[in-house]
Amino acid sequence: GKSVKSLLKSCDDHLRSVVDYLEIERVIGVGKYAERRANLALSDLNIEITTCWHPSPASPLANRNRGEDWKRNFRGVLPP
């Protein structure tokens, strides 16, 4: 509803202000939802947006091999 849209706009505005203030060039969305929100909020900026798996207890990917696959996935999106 209206309150959810207002909350999302506030979150998007805050993300934009943090990216601007810190002169961030790359954003990692932890999970596909966070990646989509970052793409919406930062669509007009020259920002690289990528994603990694969300470490949810319900995620088979995040929990496979006692979390080692998730750690490898996360490290793969971090700068060298």
Side-chain angles (χ1 to χ4, degrees):
K2 187 176 179 179
S3 59
V4 171
K5 287 180 183 178
S6 176
L7 176 63
L8 290 175
K9 182 179 179 338
S10 293
C11 292
D12 292 349
D13 291 346
H14 181 70
L15 177 61
R16 286 179 64 86
S17 66
V18 169
V19 165
D20 182 51
Y21 182 78
L22 296 176
E23 299 178 355
I24 291 172
E25 298 174 354
R26 186 168 191 244
V27 170
I28 300 170
V30 180
K32 289 294 184 184
Y33 180 78
E35 179 189 25
R36 279 193 305 273
R37 293 303 317 167
N39 274 311
L40 288 170
L42 308 171
S43 63
D44 61 328
L45 302 178
N46 187 24
I47 302 291
E48 178 187 354
I49 300 172
T50 190
T51 189
C52 66
W53 300 336
H54 190 284
S56 166
S59 169
L61 290 173
N63 293 293
R64 201 170 47 199
N65 297 325
R66 298 181 137 179
E68 290 304 313
D69 290 354
W70 180 85
K71 290 175 190 174
R72 190 171 23 262
N73 175 261
F74 183 70
R75 287 183 192 116
V77 297
L78 294 176

